[in-house]
């Protein structure tokens, strides 16, 4: 039986011993991590974070400066625009237009990608915190957009979760996303720790109740 098949067996509750299930689940997740490219994991700084805290403005500014080809000043303007758009409930396009008014000397598409990625990451981390603080959420799904326009990273992730019974833990989801972000050319494994598996991700974390 393969690693993910074993995980699927545990998630589906085929074994009646809860303590043994939890211990075996931990061992399997460690094995998945061991089987991944250790150098790539270290290089990306990947870290399974079951309770991601809310980033400060300056921390998020520094992340934008680190992961995109932008100056510190441009990162300052971008994070301020993202915070404003998030507070006002704007969509990616409106926030990108607002950021572009600051004379950033960046293309509109580059600005939109940064806004899209970081805003999506903020929302997913918020939902992860909700899941981990809940007493009724049993797992999560990775929901694909309904129009078929989906990345290889997310399509493979959703397929793997379906094989495991349709729902996994937050830690399992992040591990699967990282593996697929490494596997496919459009993936951004270095950003999975921030819940950004690829540029302009349109998938959402869906809670499973019960």
């Amino acid at each position: 039986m393969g690693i993910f098949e074993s995980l699927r067996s545990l998630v589906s509750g085929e074994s009646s011993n809860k303590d043994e299930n939890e211990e075996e689940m931990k061992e399997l997740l460690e094995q998945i991590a061991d089987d991944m490219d250790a150098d790539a994991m270290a290089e990306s700084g990947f870290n399974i974070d079951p309770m991601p805290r809310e980033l400060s403005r300056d921390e998020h500014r520094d992340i934008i400066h680190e992961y995109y080809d932008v100056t510190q000043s441009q990162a300052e303007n971008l994070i301020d625009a993202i915070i404003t758009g998030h507070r006002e409930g704007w969509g990616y396009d409106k926030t990108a237009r607002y950021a572009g008014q600051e004379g950033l000397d960046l293309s509109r598409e580059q600005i939109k990608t940064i806004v899209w990625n970081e805003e999506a990451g903020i929302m997913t981390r918020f939902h992860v915190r909700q899941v981990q603080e809940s007493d009724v959420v049993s797992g999560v799904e990775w929901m694909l957009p309904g129009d078929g326009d989906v990345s290889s990273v997310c399509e493979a992730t959703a397929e793997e979760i379906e094989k495991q019974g349709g729902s996994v833990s937050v830690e399992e989801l992040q591990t699967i996303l990282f593996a697929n972000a490494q596997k496919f050319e459009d993936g951004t494994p270095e950003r999975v720790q921030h819940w950004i598996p690829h540029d302009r991700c349109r998938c959402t974390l869906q809670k499973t109740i019960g």
Side-chain angles (χ1 to χ4, degrees), residues 148-194:
D149 183 12
V150 60
S151 75
S152 300
V153 173
C154 289
E155 185 173 34
T157 296
E159 288 175 356
E160 183 55 50
I161 293 172
E162 184 63 28
K163 290 178 184 177
Q164 294 188 33
S167 177
V168 296
S169 70
V170 165
E171 294 88 344
E172 290 169 314
L173 172 58
Q174 199 171 32
T175 300
I176 295 167
L177 280 171
F178 181 80
N180 287 321
Q182 278 191 295
K183 180 178 179 181
F184 294 102
E185 186 176 351
D186 60 340
T188 54
E190 70 280 2
R191 298 305 312 279
V192 171
Q193 62 181 322
H194 303 129

mmCIF file of all heavy atoms in Angstrom, residues 148-194:
data_model
loop_
_atom_site.group_PDB
_atom_site.id
_atom_site.type_symbol
_atom_site.label_atom_id
_atom_site.label_comp_id
_atom_site.label_asym_id
_atom_site.label_seq_id
_atom_site.Cartn_x
_atom_site.Cartn_y
_atom_site.Cartn_z
ATOM 1 N N GLY A 148 -13.364 25.239 -15.114
ATOM 2 C CA GLY A 148 -12.356 24.391 -15.744
ATOM 3 C C GLY A 148 -11.006 25.041 -15.939
ATOM 4 O O GLY A 148 -10.050 24.384 -16.347
ATOM 5 N N ASP A 149 -10.907 26.332 -15.672
ATOM 6 C CA ASP A 149 -9.642 27.046 -15.822
ATOM 7 C C ASP A 149 -8.855 26.899 -14.521
ATOM 8 O O ASP A 149 -8.942 27.737 -13.629
ATOM 9 C CB ASP A 149 -9.896 28.518 -16.139
ATOM 10 C CG ASP A 149 -8.600 29.290 -16.389
ATOM 11 O OD1 ASP A 149 -7.547 28.644 -16.546
ATOM 12 O OD2 ASP A 149 -8.652 30.535 -16.407
ATOM 13 N N VAL A 150 -8.084 25.819 -14.420
ATOM 14 C CA VAL A 150 -7.418 25.488 -13.162
ATOM 15 C C VAL A 150 -5.985 25.074 -13.436
ATOM 16 O O VAL A 150 -5.672 24.499 -14.481
ATOM 17 C CB VAL A 150 -8.185 24.359 -12.430
ATOM 18 C CG1 VAL A 150 -8.251 23.104 -13.273
ATOM 19 C CG2 VAL A 150 -7.584 24.064 -11.077
ATOM 20 N N SER A 151 -5.103 25.367 -12.508
ATOM 21 C CA SER A 151 -3.690 25.025 -12.672
ATOM 22 C C SER A 151 -3.471 23.536 -12.442
ATOM 23 O O SER A 151 -4.274 22.857 -11.791
ATOM 24 C CB SER A 151 -2.836 25.810 -11.676
ATOM 25 O OG SER A 151 -2.963 25.261 -10.374
ATOM 26 N N SER A 152 -2.354 23.031 -12.962
ATOM 27 C CA SER A 152 -1.987 21.631 -12.739
ATOM 28 C C SER A 152 -1.767 21.355 -11.257
ATOM 29 O O SER A 152 -2.101 20.279 -10.761
ATOM 30 C CB SER A 152 -0.710 21.304 -13.526
ATOM 31 O OG SER A 152 -0.881 21.505 -14.903
ATOM 32 N N VAL A 153 -1.203 22.338 -10.549
ATOM 33 C CA VAL A 153 -0.933 22.179 -9.115
ATOM 34 C C VAL A 153 -2.221 21.895 -8.357
ATOM 35 O O VAL A 153 -2.319 20.929 -7.582
ATOM 36 C CB VAL A 153 -0.247 23.436 -8.543
ATOM 37 C CG1 VAL A 153 -0.118 23.327 -7.021
ATOM 38 C CG2 VAL A 153 1.107 23.654 -9.173
ATOM 39 N N CYS A 154 -3.221 22.720 -8.571
ATOM 40 C CA CYS A 154 -4.461 22.599 -7.812
ATOM 41 C C CYS A 154 -5.302 21.426 -8.293
ATOM 42 O O CYS A 154 -5.988 20.776 -7.485
ATOM 43 C CB CYS A 154 -5.241 23.898 -7.881
ATOM 44 S SG CYS A 154 -4.460 25.228 -6.910
ATOM 45 N N GLU A 155 -5.280 21.136 -9.576
ATOM 46 C CA GLU A 155 -6.031 19.997 -10.093
ATOM 47 C C GLU A 155 -5.506 18.698 -9.483
ATOM 48 O O GLU A 155 -6.287 17.852 -9.029
ATOM 49 C CB GLU A 155 -5.938 19.940 -11.613
ATOM 50 C CG GLU A 155 -6.786 18.845 -12.239
ATOM 51 C CD GLU A 155 -6.787 18.926 -13.761
ATOM 52 O OE1 GLU A 155 -5.754 19.311 -14.340
ATOM 53 O OE2 GLU A 155 -7.834 18.602 -14.352
ATOM 54 N N ALA A 156 -4.182 18.557 -9.441
ATOM 55 C CA ALA A 156 -3.581 17.355 -8.855
ATOM 56 C C ALA A 156 -3.858 17.283 -7.364
ATOM 57 O O ALA A 156 -4.076 16.194 -6.807
ATOM 58 C CB ALA A 156 -2.072 17.340 -9.116
ATOM 59 N N THR A 157 -3.873 18.431 -6.693
ATOM 60 C CA THR A 157 -4.153 18.461 -5.257
ATOM 61 C C THR A 157 -5.583 18.020 -4.974
ATOM 62 O O THR A 157 -5.828 17.196 -4.080
ATOM 63 C CB THR A 157 -3.920 19.878 -4.706
ATOM 64 O OG1 THR A 157 -2.535 20.211 -4.848
ATOM 65 C CG2 THR A 157 -4.314 19.964 -3.234
ATOM 66 N N ALA A 158 -6.537 18.539 -5.730
ATOM 67 C CA ALA A 158 -7.935 18.153 -5.541
ATOM 68 C C ALA A 158 -8.136 16.674 -5.826
ATOM 69 O O ALA A 158 -8.905 15.989 -5.121
ATOM 70 C CB ALA A 158 -8.832 19.001 -6.446
ATOM 71 N N GLU A 159 -7.461 16.160 -6.840
ATOM 72 C CA GLU A 159 -7.572 14.737 -7.167
ATOM 73 C C GLU A 159 -7.035 13.875 -6.031
ATOM 74 O O GLU A 159 -7.629 12.841 -5.692
ATOM 75 C CB GLU A 159 -6.813 14.436 -8.466
ATOM 76 C CG GLU A 159 -7.491 14.985 -9.713
ATOM 77 C CD GLU A 159 -6.661 14.792 -10.962
ATOM 78 O OE1 GLU A 159 -5.512 14.296 -10.835
ATOM 79 O OE2 GLU A 159 -7.142 15.126 -12.058
ATOM 80 N N GLU A 160 -5.926 14.278 -5.441
ATOM 81 C CA GLU A 160 -5.342 13.509 -4.341
ATOM 82 C C GLU A 160 -6.255 13.519 -3.119
ATOM 83 O O GLU A 160 -6.438 12.503 -2.440
ATOM 84 C CB GLU A 160 -3.962 14.061 -3.970
ATOM 85 C CG GLU A 160 -3.252 13.268 -2.887
ATOM 86 C CD GLU A 160 -3.123 11.796 -3.232
ATOM 87 O OE1 GLU A 160 -2.672 11.465 -4.336
ATOM 88 O OE2 GLU A 160 -3.497 10.966 -2.383
ATOM 89 N N ILE A 161 -6.854 14.671 -2.829
ATOM 90 C CA ILE A 161 -7.769 14.764 -1.690
ATOM 91 C C ILE A 161 -8.993 13.885 -1.933
ATOM 92 O O ILE A 161 -9.488 13.214 -1.017
ATOM 93 C CB ILE A 161 -8.170 16.223 -1.444
ATOM 94 C CG1 ILE A 161 -6.952 17.025 -0.962
ATOM 95 C CG2 ILE A 161 -9.301 16.319 -0.422
ATOM 96 C CD1 ILE A 161 -7.188 18.511 -0.873
ATOM 97 N N GLU A 162 -9.484 13.860 -3.161
ATOM 98 C CA GLU A 162 -10.628 13.009 -3.487
ATOM 99 C C GLU A 162 -10.283 11.539 -3.266
ATOM 100 O O GLU A 162 -11.102 10.769 -2.750
ATOM 101 C CB GLU A 162 -11.048 13.243 -4.947
ATOM 102 C CG GLU A 162 -12.294 12.486 -5.362
ATOM 103 C CD GLU A 162 -13.526 12.907 -4.584
ATOM 104 O OE1 GLU A 162 -13.597 14.058 -4.136
ATOM 105 O OE2 GLU A 162 -14.438 12.055 -4.419
ATOM 106 N N LYS A 163 -9.065 11.149 -3.613
ATOM 107 C CA LYS A 163 -8.627 9.764 -3.389
ATOM 108 C C LYS A 163 -8.587 9.426 -1.902
ATOM 109 O O LYS A 163 -8.729 8.269 -1.515
ATOM 110 C CB LYS A 163 -7.238 9.547 -3.995
ATOM 111 C CG LYS A 163 -7.198 9.555 -5.509
ATOM 112 C CD LYS A 163 -5.766 9.392 -5.994
ATOM 113 C CE LYS A 163 -5.673 9.481 -7.499
ATOM 114 N NZ LYS A 163 -4.261 9.397 -7.969
ATOM 115 N N GLN A 164 -8.378 10.450 -1.086
ATOM 116 C CA GLN A 164 -8.282 10.236 0.356
ATOM 117 C C GLN A 164 -9.637 10.343 1.058
ATOM 118 O O GLN A 164 -9.699 10.395 2.278
ATOM 119 C CB GLN A 164 -7.297 11.236 0.974
ATOM 120 C CG GLN A 164 -5.860 11.049 0.527
ATOM 121 C CD GLN A 164 -4.892 11.925 1.295
ATOM 122 O OE1 GLN A 164 -5.091 12.201 2.467
ATOM 123 N NE2 GLN A 164 -3.837 12.364 0.629
ATOM 124 N N GLY A 165 -10.701 10.392 0.289
ATOM 125 C CA GLY A 165 -12.029 10.435 0.889
ATOM 126 C C GLY A 165 -12.712 11.773 0.798
ATOM 127 O O GLY A 165 -13.817 11.954 1.320
ATOM 128 N N GLY A 166 -12.068 12.747 0.170
ATOM 129 C CA GLY A 166 -12.690 14.045 -0.061
ATOM 130 C C GLY A 166 -12.391 15.106 0.974
ATOM 131 O O GLY A 166 -12.800 16.253 0.812
ATOM 132 N N SER A 167 -11.667 14.751 2.033
ATOM 133 C CA SER A 167 -11.362 15.716 3.081
ATOM 134 C C SER A 167 -10.071 15.303 3.775
ATOM 135 O O SER A 167 -9.838 14.121 4.007
ATOM 136 C CB SER A 167 -12.507 15.781 4.097
ATOM 137 O OG SER A 167 -12.196 16.669 5.152
ATOM 138 N N VAL A 168 -9.232 16.314 4.089
ATOM 139 C CA VAL A 168 -7.963 16.062 4.766
ATOM 140 C C VAL A 168 -7.769 17.132 5.836
ATOM 141 O O VAL A 168 -8.519 18.089 5.922
ATOM 142 C CB VAL A 168 -6.767 16.089 3.783
ATOM 143 C CG1 VAL A 168 -6.866 14.967 2.762
ATOM 144 C CG2 VAL A 168 -6.672 17.450 3.089
ATOM 145 N N SER A 169 -6.734 16.961 6.644
ATOM 146 C CA SER A 169 -6.403 17.988 7.627
ATOM 147 C C SER A 169 -5.696 19.149 6.935
ATOM 148 O O SER A 169 -5.218 19.019 5.791
ATOM 149 C CB SER A 169 -5.495 17.415 8.715
ATOM 150 O OG SER A 169 -4.203 17.143 8.193
ATOM 151 N N VAL A 170 -5.616 20.276 7.621
ATOM 152 C CA VAL A 170 -4.893 21.430 7.093
ATOM 153 C C VAL A 170 -3.439 21.055 6.814
ATOM 154 O O VAL A 170 -2.875 21.436 5.774
ATOM 155 C CB VAL A 170 -4.971 22.610 8.089
ATOM 156 C CG1 VAL A 170 -3.954 23.675 7.741
ATOM 157 C CG2 VAL A 170 -6.368 23.204 8.105
ATOM 158 N N GLU A 171 -2.826 20.312 7.730
ATOM 159 C CA GLU A 171 -1.419 19.934 7.559
ATOM 160 C C GLU A 171 -1.232 19.051 6.328
ATOM 161 O O GLU A 171 -0.268 19.223 5.575
ATOM 162 C CB GLU A 171 -0.911 19.208 8.807
ATOM 163 C CG GLU A 171 -0.845 20.081 10.053
ATOM 164 C CD GLU A 171 -2.144 20.088 10.842
ATOM 165 O OE1 GLU A 171 -3.200 19.667 10.297
ATOM 166 O OE2 GLU A 171 -2.118 20.519 12.006
ATOM 167 N N GLU A 172 -2.163 18.118 6.124
ATOM 168 C CA GLU A 172 -2.088 17.250 4.949
ATOM 169 C C GLU A 172 -2.255 18.061 3.668
ATOM 170 O O GLU A 172 -1.530 17.844 2.680
ATOM 171 C CB GLU A 172 -3.165 16.175 5.032
ATOM 172 C CG GLU A 172 -2.921 15.139 6.102
ATOM 173 C CD GLU A 172 -4.138 14.263 6.322
ATOM 174 O OE1 GLU A 172 -5.261 14.787 6.426
ATOM 175 O OE2 GLU A 172 -3.950 13.043 6.377
ATOM 176 N N LEU A 173 -3.203 18.994 3.664
ATOM 177 C CA LEU A 173 -3.421 19.829 2.483
ATOM 178 C C LEU A 173 -2.169 20.607 2.132
ATOM 179 O O LEU A 173 -1.760 20.656 0.958
ATOM 180 C CB LEU A 173 -4.582 20.795 2.729
ATOM 181 C CG LEU A 173 -4.803 21.873 1.652
ATOM 182 C CD1 LEU A 173 -5.031 21.244 0.286
ATOM 183 C CD2 LEU A 173 -5.960 22.783 2.034
ATOM 184 N N GLN A 174 -1.543 21.221 3.114
ATOM 185 C CA GLN A 174 -0.357 22.019 2.837
ATOM 186 C C GLN A 174 0.793 21.141 2.324
ATOM 187 O O GLN A 174 1.547 21.538 1.434
ATOM 188 C CB GLN A 174 0.076 22.784 4.086
ATOM 189 C CG GLN A 174 1.001 23.960 3.785
ATOM 190 C CD GLN A 174 1.240 24.832 4.999
ATOM 191 O OE1 GLN A 174 1.248 24.363 6.133
ATOM 192 N NE2 GLN A 174 1.448 26.114 4.770
ATOM 193 N N THR A 175 0.903 19.932 2.849
ATOM 194 C CA THR A 175 1.930 19.000 2.390
ATOM 195 C C THR A 175 1.679 18.588 0.944
ATOM 196 O O THR A 175 2.610 18.535 0.132
ATOM 197 C CB THR A 175 1.959 17.752 3.290
ATOM 198 O OG1 THR A 175 2.254 18.134 4.634
ATOM 199 C CG2 THR A 175 3.024 16.771 2.827
ATOM 200 N N ILE A 176 0.433 18.290 0.600
ATOM 201 C CA ILE A 176 0.092 17.894 -0.766
ATOM 202 C C ILE A 176 0.314 19.058 -1.731
ATOM 203 O O ILE A 176 0.844 18.877 -2.844
ATOM 204 C CB ILE A 176 -1.365 17.397 -0.831
ATOM 205 C CG1 ILE A 176 -1.532 16.122 0.002
ATOM 206 C CG2 ILE A 176 -1.780 17.125 -2.280
ATOM 207 C CD1 ILE A 176 -2.985 15.741 0.249
ATOM 208 N N LEU A 177 -0.077 20.267 -1.324
ATOM 209 C CA LEU A 177 0.149 21.440 -2.172
ATOM 210 C C LEU A 177 1.631 21.638 -2.450
ATOM 211 O O LEU A 177 2.024 21.952 -3.581
ATOM 212 C CB LEU A 177 -0.431 22.695 -1.499
ATOM 213 C CG LEU A 177 -1.936 22.919 -1.608
ATOM 214 C CD1 LEU A 177 -2.366 24.069 -0.702
ATOM 215 C CD2 LEU A 177 -2.353 23.193 -3.051
ATOM 216 N N PHE A 178 2.450 21.471 -1.411
ATOM 217 C CA PHE A 178 3.888 21.654 -1.602
ATOM 218 C C PHE A 178 4.444 20.628 -2.588
ATOM 219 O O PHE A 178 5.234 20.971 -3.476
ATOM 220 C CB PHE A 178 4.627 21.555 -0.271
ATOM 221 C CG PHE A 178 6.115 21.749 -0.405
ATOM 222 C CD1 PHE A 178 6.649 23.022 -0.510
ATOM 223 C CD2 PHE A 178 6.981 20.671 -0.453
ATOM 224 C CE1 PHE A 178 8.010 23.213 -0.661
ATOM 225 C CE2 PHE A 178 8.338 20.848 -0.605
ATOM 226 C CZ PHE A 178 8.863 22.125 -0.698
ATOM 227 N N ALA A 179 4.033 19.367 -2.435
ATOM 228 C CA ALA A 179 4.511 18.316 -3.330
ATOM 229 C C ALA A 179 4.149 18.623 -4.778
ATOM 230 O O ALA A 179 4.971 18.458 -5.695
ATOM 231 C CB ALA A 179 3.938 16.969 -2.900
ATOM 232 N N ASN A 180 2.918 19.090 -5.007
ATOM 233 C CA ASN A 180 2.489 19.391 -6.377
ATOM 234 C C ASN A 180 3.090 20.690 -6.895
ATOM 235 O O ASN A 180 3.347 20.821 -8.101
ATOM 236 C CB ASN A 180 0.963 19.433 -6.440
ATOM 237 C CG ASN A 180 0.348 18.052 -6.338
ATOM 238 O OD1 ASN A 180 0.863 17.097 -6.900
ATOM 239 N ND2 ASN A 180 -0.750 17.932 -5.606
ATOM 240 N N ALA A 181 3.324 21.655 -6.027
ATOM 241 C CA ALA A 181 3.983 22.892 -6.452
ATOM 242 C C ALA A 181 5.406 22.609 -6.897
ATOM 243 O O ALA A 181 5.942 23.278 -7.794
ATOM 244 C CB ALA A 181 3.971 23.919 -5.327
ATOM 245 N N GLN A 182 6.044 21.626 -6.265
ATOM 246 C CA GLN A 182 7.366 21.199 -6.704
ATOM 247 C C GLN A 182 7.305 20.477 -8.039
ATOM 248 O O GLN A 182 8.185 20.621 -8.885
ATOM 249 C CB GLN A 182 7.985 20.245 -5.676
ATOM 250 C CG GLN A 182 8.641 20.894 -4.490
ATOM 251 C CD GLN A 182 9.440 19.864 -3.703
ATOM 252 O OE1 GLN A 182 8.876 18.935 -3.142
ATOM 253 N NE2 GLN A 182 10.733 20.018 -3.689
ATOM 254 N N LYS A 183 6.260 19.696 -8.220
ATOM 255 C CA LYS A 183 6.158 18.797 -9.377
ATOM 256 C C LYS A 183 5.880 19.531 -10.672
ATOM 257 O O LYS A 183 6.430 19.172 -11.724
ATOM 258 C CB LYS A 183 5.053 17.770 -9.109
ATOM 259 C CG LYS A 183 4.829 16.768 -10.229
ATOM 260 C CD LYS A 183 3.743 15.780 -9.829
ATOM 261 C CE LYS A 183 3.475 14.776 -10.943
ATOM 262 N NZ LYS A 183 2.397 13.820 -10.561
ATOM 263 N N PHE A 184 5.025 20.555 -10.618
ATOM 264 C CA PHE A 184 4.571 21.200 -11.843
ATOM 265 C C PHE A 184 5.263 22.543 -12.060
ATOM 266 O O PHE A 184 5.570 23.261 -11.106
ATOM 267 C CB PHE A 184 3.052 21.391 -11.804
ATOM 268 C CG PHE A 184 2.286 20.100 -11.822
ATOM 269 C CD1 PHE A 184 1.743 19.584 -10.645
ATOM 270 C CD2 PHE A 184 2.129 19.383 -12.993
ATOM 271 C CE1 PHE A 184 1.043 18.390 -10.645
ATOM 272 C CE2 PHE A 184 1.428 18.182 -13.010
ATOM 273 C CZ PHE A 184 0.888 17.680 -11.832
ATOM 274 N N GLU A 185 5.448 22.870 -13.339
ATOM 275 C CA GLU A 185 6.218 24.054 -13.717
ATOM 276 C C GLU A 185 5.590 25.346 -13.229
ATOM 277 O O GLU A 185 6.294 26.316 -12.919
ATOM 278 C CB GLU A 185 6.359 24.093 -15.252
ATOM 279 C CG GLU A 185 7.257 25.191 -15.761
ATOM 280 C CD GLU A 185 7.454 25.137 -17.262
ATOM 281 O OE1 GLU A 185 7.025 24.140 -17.896
ATOM 282 O OE2 GLU A 185 8.038 26.092 -17.813
ATOM 283 N N ASP A 186 4.253 25.380 -13.135
ATOM 284 C CA ASP A 186 3.596 26.617 -12.719
ATOM 285 C C ASP A 186 3.533 26.772 -11.202
ATOM 286 O O ASP A 186 2.993 27.756 -10.696
ATOM 287 C CB ASP A 186 2.183 26.704 -13.309
ATOM 288 C CG ASP A 186 1.281 25.542 -12.881
ATOM 289 O OD1 ASP A 186 1.818 24.504 -12.462
ATOM 290 O OD2 ASP A 186 0.041 25.678 -12.972
ATOM 291 N N GLY A 187 4.079 25.822 -10.450
ATOM 292 C CA GLY A 187 4.024 25.882 -8.995
ATOM 293 C C GLY A 187 5.011 26.861 -8.387
ATOM 294 O O GLY A 187 6.035 27.195 -8.984
ATOM 295 N N THR A 188 4.681 27.324 -7.194
ATOM 296 C CA THR A 188 5.576 28.195 -6.419
ATOM 297 C C THR A 188 5.774 27.561 -5.035
ATOM 298 O O THR A 188 5.201 28.030 -4.037
ATOM 299 C CB THR A 188 4.992 29.615 -6.274
ATOM 300 O OG1 THR A 188 3.658 29.524 -5.724
ATOM 301 C CG2 THR A 188 4.932 30.330 -7.610
ATOM 302 N N PRO A 189 6.576 26.494 -4.951
ATOM 303 C CA PRO A 189 6.742 25.792 -3.671
ATOM 304 C C PRO A 189 7.282 26.686 -2.565
ATOM 305 O O PRO A 189 6.968 26.477 -1.390
ATOM 306 C CB PRO A 189 7.720 24.659 -4.008
ATOM 307 C CG PRO A 189 8.393 25.081 -5.274
ATOM 308 C CD PRO A 189 7.367 25.867 -6.024
ATOM 309 N N GLU A 190 8.061 27.698 -2.945
ATOM 310 C CA GLU A 190 8.619 28.603 -1.944
ATOM 311 C C GLU A 190 7.549 29.464 -1.281
ATOM 312 O O GLU A 190 7.801 30.073 -0.237
ATOM 313 C CB GLU A 190 9.682 29.503 -2.583
ATOM 314 C CG GLU A 190 9.172 30.554 -3.554
ATOM 315 C CD GLU A 190 8.871 30.031 -4.948
ATOM 316 O OE1 GLU A 190 9.028 28.800 -5.170
ATOM 317 O OE2 GLU A 190 8.466 30.835 -5.814
ATOM 318 N N ARG A 191 6.346 29.515 -1.855
ATOM 319 C CA ARG A 191 5.268 30.328 -1.298
ATOM 320 C C ARG A 191 4.157 29.508 -0.638
ATOM 321 O O ARG A 191 3.202 30.091 -0.115
ATOM 322 C CB ARG A 191 4.639 31.205 -2.390
ATOM 323 C CG ARG A 191 5.546 32.210 -3.062
ATOM 324 C CD ARG A 191 6.249 33.164 -2.099
ATOM 325 N NE ARG A 191 5.412 33.779 -1.096
ATOM 326 C CZ ARG A 191 4.634 34.852 -1.290
ATOM 327 N NH1 ARG A 191 4.607 35.424 -2.487
ATOM 328 N NH2 ARG A 191 3.925 35.362 -0.301
ATOM 329 N N VAL A 192 4.268 28.183 -0.673
ATOM 330 C CA VAL A 192 3.215 27.360 -0.071
ATOM 331 C C VAL A 192 3.087 27.638 1.419
ATOM 332 O O VAL A 192 1.998 27.559 1.987
ATOM 333 C CB VAL A 192 3.466 25.861 -0.345
ATOM 334 C CG1 VAL A 192 2.501 24.988 0.447
ATOM 335 C CG2 VAL A 192 3.320 25.564 -1.831
ATOM 336 N N GLN A 193 4.199 27.994 2.061
ATOM 337 C CA GLN A 193 4.122 28.329 3.482
ATOM 338 C C GLN A 193 3.192 29.523 3.732
ATOM 339 O O GLN A 193 2.670 29.690 4.839
ATOM 340 C CB GLN A 193 5.512 28.634 4.025
ATOM 341 C CG GLN A 193 6.183 29.830 3.363
ATOM 342 C CD GLN A 193 7.567 30.083 3.910
ATOM 343 O OE1 GLN A 193 7.796 29.929 5.102
ATOM 344 N NE2 GLN A 193 8.497 30.445 3.047
ATOM 345 N N HIS A 194 3.000 30.359 2.695
ATOM 346 C CA HIS A 194 2.081 31.493 2.789
ATOM 347 C C HIS A 194 0.743 31.177 2.120
ATOM 348 O O HIS A 194 -0.057 32.074 1.887
ATOM 349 C CB HIS A 194 2.695 32.731 2.128
ATOM 350 C CG HIS A 194 4.027 33.120 2.697
ATOM 351 N ND1 HIS A 194 5.136 33.342 1.909
ATOM 352 C CD2 HIS A 194 4.435 33.285 3.978
ATOM 353 C CE1 HIS A 194 6.172 33.650 2.684
ATOM 354 N NE2 HIS A 194 5.765 33.612 3.939
#
